[in-house]
Amino acid sequence: MKKNHLSTETLVFEIISAIAALFYMGLQVYYGIVYGAGAVRIVMNVLILILVYMGLTVLAIYPERVNGLSREVCTGAIRKYTIRMVELIKLVFVLSLLFTSICDALGYRVDAAYSLIVMGLILVVAVVFEVKIIKILRKLK
């Protein structure tokens, strides 16, 4: 992300996401050692986190790709809202994985509805910010 597009809020979201991702990876290794989970399972869990994290980071670097806008249009508030949306989605995703990993390490079983709740939360974040972006785009026309 370009330095001039980093707000304090975005930087905080990114730092929290990175720390949570590192804790998640550590807990995956711990879970694998304590409960005898296979190395393939641990690697696959960590690989999924890394791929989604990197994909969302690329979208935060190139926010015009999120809505298919040109660089000329994706400026100001539109750019700020798009970056914030992607960072919040990344934060929700990583924290949800960290929560399930903590529960696994403690021996608790997470209900299947948890995945639906997380997807709903991600959807709410996306809809709220996309509505803001669409309102700005309508004013431009």
Side-chain angles (χ1 to χ4, degrees):
M1 209 173 318
K2 295 177 184 171
K3 191 192 308 185
N4 61 348
H5 296 295
L6 275 177
S7 67
T8 304
E9 187 176 284
T10 304
L11 188 61
V12 168
F13 290 157
E14 183 63 34
I15 290 171
I16 293 171
S17 295
I19 291 171
L22 290 174
F23 274 115
Y24 172 78
M25 289 180 210
L27 281 172
Q28 285 297 306
V29 172
Y30 171 79
Y31 179 80
I33 293 169
V34 171
Y35 294 102
V40 173
R41 180 177 176 191
I42 295 169
V43 169
M44 292 304 292
N45 287 344
V46 170
L47 189 60
I48 289 170
L49 169 72
I50 291 171
L51 290 174
V52 172
Y53 190 94
M54 288 177 62
L56 290 170
T57 301
V58 167
L59 287 177
I61 294 170
Y62 301 105
E64 59 274 358
R65 302 217 188 262
V66 174
N67 294 313
L69 301 172
S70 65
R71 285 187 176 193
E72 294 79 28
V73 175
C74 189
T75 58
I78 295 172
R79 186 174 191 84
K80 180 179 81 170
Y81 287 146
T82 305
I83 292 171
R84 192 170 295 156
M85 174 183 65
V86 171
E87 290 294 335
L88 272 173
I89 289 172
K90 183 178 4 176
L91 181 65
V92 168
F93 177 76
V94 172
L95 289 178
S96 69
L97 287 178
L98 180 61
F99 176 75
T100 57
S101 188
I102 289 170
C103 290
D104 286 344
L106 294 175
Y108 296 116
R109 182 173 171 87
V110 178
D111 191 17
Y114 177 74
S115 296
L116 293 174
I117 293 169
V118 170
M119 290 306 297
L121 186 56
I122 289 172
L123 186 62
V124 166
V125 169
V127 167
V128 166
F129 281 101
E130 286 297 329
V131 165
K132 290 179 180 183
I133 292 168
I134 289 170
K135 285 181 181 178
I136 294 171
L137 288 172
R138 285 188 178 162
K139 286 180 184 177
L140 293 176
K141 289 185 179 185

